[in-house]
Short mmCIF file of all heavy atoms in Angstrom, two decimals:
data_model
loop_
_atom_site.label_atom_id
_atom_site.label_comp_id
_atom_site.label_asym_id
_atom_site.label_seq_id
_atom_site.Cartn_x
_atom_site.Cartn_y
_atom_site.Cartn_z
N LEU Z 160 -112.24 132.32 -66.54
CA LEU Z 160 -112.39 131.35 -65.52
C LEU Z 160 -112.00 131.67 -64.17
O LEU Z 160 -112.46 131.19 -63.11
CB LEU Z 160 -111.65 130.05 -65.95
CG LEU Z 160 -112.27 129.33 -67.20
CD1 LEU Z 160 -111.42 128.09 -67.54
CD2 LEU Z 160 -113.57 128.80 -66.96
N VAL Z 161 -111.05 132.70 -64.05
CA VAL Z 161 -110.63 133.12 -62.71
C VAL Z 161 -111.65 133.97 -62.04
O VAL Z 161 -111.82 133.89 -60.79
CB VAL Z 161 -109.20 134.08 -63.05
CG1 VAL Z 161 -108.95 134.61 -61.68
CG2 VAL Z 161 -108.13 133.24 -63.46
N GLY Z 162 -112.47 134.69 -62.79
CA GLY Z 162 -113.50 135.49 -62.14
C GLY Z 162 -112.99 136.58 -61.32
O GLY Z 162 -111.92 137.17 -61.69
N GLY Z 163 -113.62 136.94 -60.25
CA GLY Z 163 -113.06 138.10 -59.35
C GLY Z 163 -113.88 139.34 -59.72
O GLY Z 163 -114.92 139.37 -60.32
N PRO Z 164 -113.50 140.39 -59.05
CA PRO Z 164 -114.18 141.74 -59.10
C PRO Z 164 -114.35 142.33 -60.43
O PRO Z 164 -115.09 143.26 -60.57
CB PRO Z 164 -113.33 142.64 -58.15
CG PRO Z 164 -111.97 142.02 -58.12
CD PRO Z 164 -112.11 140.51 -58.24
N LEU Z 165 -113.57 141.91 -61.44
CA LEU Z 165 -113.73 142.58 -62.68
C LEU Z 165 -114.45 141.49 -63.81
O LEU Z 165 -114.56 141.85 -64.83
CB LEU Z 165 -112.37 142.87 -63.30
CG LEU Z 165 -111.59 143.89 -62.58
CD1 LEU Z 165 -110.15 144.03 -63.22
CD2 LEU Z 165 -112.19 145.10 -62.43
N ALA Z 166 -115.10 140.52 -63.25
CA ALA Z 166 -115.74 139.49 -64.07
C ALA Z 166 -116.92 140.12 -64.80
O ALA Z 166 -117.19 139.44 -65.90
CB ALA Z 166 -116.13 138.22 -63.21
N GLU Z 167 -117.53 141.07 -64.28
CA GLU Z 167 -118.69 141.70 -65.07
C GLU Z 167 -118.36 142.44 -66.26
O GLU Z 167 -119.12 142.84 -67.09
CB GLU Z 167 -119.47 142.57 -64.09
CG GLU Z 167 -118.99 143.99 -63.90
CD GLU Z 167 -117.79 144.06 -62.93
OE1 GLU Z 167 -117.31 143.11 -62.51
OE2 GLU Z 167 -117.29 145.23 -62.76
N LEU Z 168 -117.04 142.82 -66.37
CA LEU Z 168 -116.64 143.65 -67.52
C LEU Z 168 -116.71 142.87 -68.90
O LEU Z 168 -116.52 141.70 -68.86
CB LEU Z 168 -115.22 144.16 -67.28
CG LEU Z 168 -114.92 145.07 -66.17
CD1 LEU Z 168 -113.44 145.55 -66.00
CD2 LEU Z 168 -115.85 146.40 -66.19
N VAL Z 169 -116.95 143.61 -69.94
CA VAL Z 169 -117.08 142.95 -71.22
C VAL Z 169 -115.61 142.95 -71.75
O VAL Z 169 -115.03 143.95 -72.16
CB VAL Z 169 -118.08 143.70 -72.18
CG1 VAL Z 169 -118.00 143.12 -73.58
CG2 VAL Z 169 -119.37 143.75 -71.61
N MET Z 170 -115.12 141.71 -72.00
CA MET Z 170 -113.80 141.66 -72.56
C MET Z 170 -113.74 141.71 -74.08
O MET Z 170 -114.73 141.58 -74.74
CB MET Z 170 -113.17 140.19 -72.18
CG MET Z 170 -112.97 140.09 -70.62
SD MET Z 170 -111.98 138.52 -70.32
CE MET Z 170 -111.94 138.69 -68.51
N VAL Z 171 -112.66 141.97 -74.55
CA VAL Z 171 -112.54 142.25 -76.03
C VAL Z 171 -112.77 140.82 -76.75
O VAL Z 171 -112.48 139.83 -76.14
CB VAL Z 171 -111.14 142.71 -76.37
CG1 VAL Z 171 -110.00 141.69 -76.05
CG2 VAL Z 171 -110.93 143.17 -77.82
N GLU Z 172 -113.28 140.92 -77.98
CA GLU Z 172 -113.41 139.64 -78.78
C GLU Z 172 -111.95 139.48 -79.44
O GLU Z 172 -111.37 140.44 -79.98
CB GLU Z 172 -114.41 139.87 -79.89
CG GLU Z 172 -115.92 140.06 -79.35
CD GLU Z 172 -116.26 138.66 -78.76
OE1 GLU Z 172 -115.82 137.60 -79.11
OE2 GLU Z 172 -117.14 138.82 -77.77
N PRO Z 173 -111.49 138.26 -79.42
CA PRO Z 173 -110.19 137.98 -79.87
C PRO Z 173 -110.05 138.33 -81.39
O PRO Z 173 -109.01 138.70 -81.86
CB PRO Z 173 -110.09 136.38 -79.86
CG PRO Z 173 -110.91 136.11 -78.59
CD PRO Z 173 -112.09 137.07 -78.67
N GLY Z 174 -111.19 138.35 -82.08
CA GLY Z 174 -111.15 138.64 -83.51
C GLY Z 174 -110.79 140.21 -83.76
O GLY Z 174 -110.46 140.50 -84.91
N GLU Z 175 -110.92 141.00 -82.76
CA GLU Z 175 -110.58 142.39 -82.93
C GLU Z 175 -109.05 142.65 -82.88
O GLU Z 175 -108.65 143.61 -83.30
CB GLU Z 175 -111.16 143.25 -81.69
CG GLU Z 175 -112.57 143.21 -81.59
CD GLU Z 175 -113.15 144.10 -80.50
OE1 GLU Z 175 -112.56 145.10 -80.18
OE2 GLU Z 175 -114.17 143.76 -79.89
N MET Z 176 -108.33 141.64 -82.45
CA MET Z 176 -106.88 141.73 -82.54
C MET Z 176 -106.26 141.44 -83.93
O MET Z 176 -106.78 140.57 -84.68
CB MET Z 176 -106.21 140.80 -81.54
CG MET Z 176 -106.35 141.21 -80.05
SD MET Z 176 -105.21 142.52 -79.70
CE MET Z 176 -103.67 141.73 -79.68
N PRO Z 177 -105.30 142.23 -84.37
CA PRO Z 177 -104.70 141.85 -85.64
C PRO Z 177 -104.01 140.50 -85.57
O PRO Z 177 -103.43 140.08 -84.53
CB PRO Z 177 -103.66 143.02 -85.79
CG PRO Z 177 -103.26 143.48 -84.44
CD PRO Z 177 -104.58 143.41 -83.73
N ASP Z 178 -103.96 139.77 -86.70
CA ASP Z 178 -103.35 138.55 -86.78
C ASP Z 178 -101.80 138.69 -86.88
O ASP Z 178 -101.30 139.79 -87.22
CB ASP Z 178 -103.92 137.67 -87.91
CG ASP Z 178 -103.64 136.21 -87.64
OD1 ASP Z 178 -103.16 135.77 -86.65
OD2 ASP Z 178 -104.02 135.43 -88.63
N CYS Z 179 -101.05 137.68 -86.66
CA CYS Z 179 -99.68 137.64 -86.79
C CYS Z 179 -99.24 136.26 -87.42
O CYS Z 179 -99.68 135.29 -87.03
CB CYS Z 179 -99.06 137.95 -85.57
SG CYS Z 179 -97.23 138.15 -85.52
N SER Z 180 -98.21 136.26 -88.27
CA SER Z 180 -97.78 134.99 -88.93
C SER Z 180 -96.51 134.45 -88.28
O SER Z 180 -96.38 133.27 -88.47
CB SER Z 180 -97.48 135.24 -90.40
OG SER Z 180 -96.59 136.27 -90.60
N THR Z 181 -95.73 135.16 -87.62
CA THR Z 181 -94.50 134.64 -87.01
C THR Z 181 -94.34 134.98 -85.55
O THR Z 181 -94.35 136.22 -85.16
CB THR Z 181 -93.28 135.21 -87.76
OG1 THR Z 181 -93.48 135.07 -89.16
CG2 THR Z 181 -92.00 134.68 -87.30
N PRO Z 182 -94.27 133.97 -84.69
CA PRO Z 182 -94.10 134.18 -83.30
C PRO Z 182 -92.73 134.80 -82.96
O PRO Z 182 -91.70 134.36 -83.49
CB PRO Z 182 -94.26 132.85 -82.65
CG PRO Z 182 -93.97 131.84 -83.72
CD PRO Z 182 -94.30 132.50 -84.98
N SER Z 183 -92.73 135.68 -82.03
CA SER Z 183 -91.57 136.33 -81.52
C SER Z 183 -91.55 136.28 -80.02
O SER Z 183 -92.58 136.15 -79.42
CB SER Z 183 -91.39 137.81 -82.06
OG SER Z 183 -91.36 137.89 -83.50
N LEU Z 184 -90.33 136.58 -79.46
CA LEU Z 184 -90.23 136.71 -78.01
C LEU Z 184 -90.92 138.09 -77.61
O LEU Z 184 -90.72 138.98 -78.11
CB LEU Z 184 -88.83 136.72 -77.47
CG LEU Z 184 -88.54 137.03 -76.01
CD1 LEU Z 184 -89.05 135.91 -75.20
CD2 LEU Z 184 -87.06 137.30 -75.85
N VAL Z 185 -91.90 137.94 -76.59
CA VAL Z 185 -92.50 139.05 -76.07
C VAL Z 185 -92.36 139.07 -74.56
O VAL Z 185 -92.69 138.05 -73.88
CB VAL Z 185 -94.00 138.98 -76.46
CG1 VAL Z 185 -94.82 140.17 -75.79
CG2 VAL Z 185 -94.32 139.17 -77.94
N HIS Z 186 -91.75 140.12 -74.01
CA HIS Z 186 -91.63 140.29 -72.62
C HIS Z 186 -92.97 140.47 -71.88
O HIS Z 186 -93.27 139.90 -70.81
CB HIS Z 186 -90.72 141.45 -72.32
CG HIS Z 186 -90.34 141.77 -70.92
ND1 HIS Z 186 -91.30 142.13 -69.92
CD2 HIS Z 186 -89.16 141.67 -70.35
CE1 HIS Z 186 -90.72 142.24 -68.84
NE2 HIS Z 186 -89.46 141.96 -69.04
N PHE Z 187 -93.74 141.34 -72.37
CA PHE Z 187 -95.31 141.64 -72.00
C PHE Z 187 -95.30 142.34 -70.56
O PHE Z 187 -96.34 142.26 -69.99
CB PHE Z 187 -96.01 140.45 -72.11
CG PHE Z 187 -97.60 140.82 -72.30
CD1 PHE Z 187 -98.02 141.56 -73.21
CD2 PHE Z 187 -98.47 140.13 -71.43
CE1 PHE Z 187 -99.36 142.00 -73.33
CE2 PHE Z 187 -99.86 140.52 -71.60
CZ PHE Z 187 -100.26 141.34 -72.58
N ASP Z 188 -94.22 142.71 -70.01
CA ASP Z 188 -94.29 143.37 -68.77
C ASP Z 188 -93.19 144.49 -68.73
O ASP Z 188 -92.64 144.77 -67.64
CB ASP Z 188 -94.06 142.38 -67.64
CG ASP Z 188 -94.46 142.97 -66.23
OD1 ASP Z 188 -95.36 143.83 -66.29
OD2 ASP Z 188 -93.99 142.39 -65.21
N ILE Z 189 -93.01 145.24 -69.85
CA ILE Z 189 -92.08 146.31 -69.97
C ILE Z 189 -92.79 147.55 -69.50
O ILE Z 189 -93.31 148.30 -70.17
CB ILE Z 189 -91.49 146.49 -71.45
CG1 ILE Z 189 -90.79 145.20 -71.81
CG2 ILE Z 189 -90.53 147.65 -71.43
CD1 ILE Z 189 -90.29 145.24 -73.22
N PHE Z 190 -92.66 147.86 -68.22
CA PHE Z 190 -93.17 149.00 -67.59
C PHE Z 190 -92.00 149.75 -66.92
O PHE Z 190 -91.05 149.17 -66.83
CB PHE Z 190 -94.44 148.75 -66.67
CG PHE Z 190 -94.07 148.18 -65.34
CD1 PHE Z 190 -94.28 148.98 -64.16
CD2 PHE Z 190 -93.60 146.98 -65.17
CE1 PHE Z 190 -93.99 148.48 -62.92
CE2 PHE Z 190 -93.34 146.41 -63.88
CZ PHE Z 190 -93.60 147.20 -62.78
N PRO Z 191 -92.25 150.98 -66.56
CA PRO Z 191 -91.08 151.80 -66.06
C PRO Z 191 -90.32 151.24 -64.95
O PRO Z 191 -89.00 151.53 -64.82
CB PRO Z 191 -91.78 153.15 -65.69
CG PRO Z 191 -92.89 153.33 -66.65
CD PRO Z 191 -93.40 151.86 -66.80
N ASP Z 192 -90.81 150.39 -64.07
CA ASP Z 192 -90.10 149.77 -63.04
C ASP Z 192 -89.18 148.74 -63.42
O ASP Z 192 -88.27 148.20 -62.75
CB ASP Z 192 -90.99 149.29 -61.94
CG ASP Z 192 -91.25 150.42 -60.85
OD1 ASP Z 192 -90.76 151.48 -60.91
OD2 ASP Z 192 -92.18 150.05 -59.94
N ASN Z 193 -89.37 148.11 -64.70
CA ASN Z 193 -88.65 147.05 -65.22
C ASN Z 193 -87.56 147.46 -66.23
O ASN Z 193 -87.03 146.68 -66.95
CB ASN Z 193 -89.52 145.96 -65.82
CG ASN Z 193 -90.16 145.06 -64.80
OD1 ASN Z 193 -89.68 144.97 -63.70
ND2 ASN Z 193 -91.28 144.44 -65.19
N VAL Z 194 -87.39 148.79 -66.28
CA VAL Z 194 -86.36 149.36 -67.19
C VAL Z 194 -85.40 150.18 -66.46
O VAL Z 194 -85.71 151.06 -65.62
CB VAL Z 194 -87.08 150.09 -68.34
CG1 VAL Z 194 -86.08 150.90 -69.14
CG2 VAL Z 194 -87.99 149.31 -69.20
N LEU Z 195 -84.03 149.85 -66.62
CA LEU Z 195 -83.11 150.71 -65.94
C LEU Z 195 -82.61 151.72 -67.06
O LEU Z 195 -82.40 151.37 -68.23
CB LEU Z 195 -81.85 149.74 -65.59
CG LEU Z 195 -82.21 148.79 -64.55
CD1 LEU Z 195 -81.02 148.01 -64.09
CD2 LEU Z 195 -82.94 149.29 -63.27
N ALA Z 196 -82.57 152.98 -66.58
CA ALA Z 196 -82.47 154.08 -67.56
C ALA Z 196 -81.26 154.95 -67.25
O ALA Z 196 -80.61 154.95 -66.26
CB ALA Z 196 -83.71 154.86 -67.51
N GLY Z 197 -80.97 155.78 -67.96
CA GLY Z 197 -80.32 157.02 -68.48
C GLY Z 197 -80.84 157.09 -69.76
O GLY Z 197 -82.06 157.35 -70.01
N SER Z 198 -80.17 156.56 -70.81
CA SER Z 198 -80.90 155.86 -71.94
C SER Z 198 -81.20 154.58 -71.33
O SER Z 198 -80.62 154.08 -70.41
CB SER Z 198 -79.99 155.89 -73.19
OG SER Z 198 -78.84 155.20 -72.93
N VAL Z 199 -81.92 153.77 -72.10
CA VAL Z 199 -82.23 152.47 -71.60
C VAL Z 199 -81.01 151.55 -71.52
O VAL Z 199 -80.44 151.24 -72.52
CB VAL Z 199 -83.34 151.72 -72.31
CG1 VAL Z 199 -83.56 150.25 -71.93
CG2 VAL Z 199 -84.63 152.52 -72.14
N SER Z 200 -80.58 151.11 -70.30
CA SER Z 200 -79.34 150.26 -70.21
C SER Z 200 -79.64 148.79 -69.86
O SER Z 200 -78.80 147.91 -70.08
CB SER Z 200 -78.49 150.82 -69.04
OG SER Z 200 -79.09 150.76 -67.85
#
Side-chain angles (χ1 to χ4, degrees):
L160 292 174
V161 174
L165 300 178
E167 82 283 1
L168 295 177
V169 178
M170 293 187 180
V171 69
E172 291 295 328
E175 294 181 35
M176 283 286 285
D178 201 3
C179 183
S180 59
T181 304
S183 299
L184 174 67
V185 173
H186 184 293
F187 205 51
D188 199 20
I189 300 180
F190 76 112
D192 272 354
N193 279 341
V194 172
L195 301 185
S198 58
V199 172
S200 62

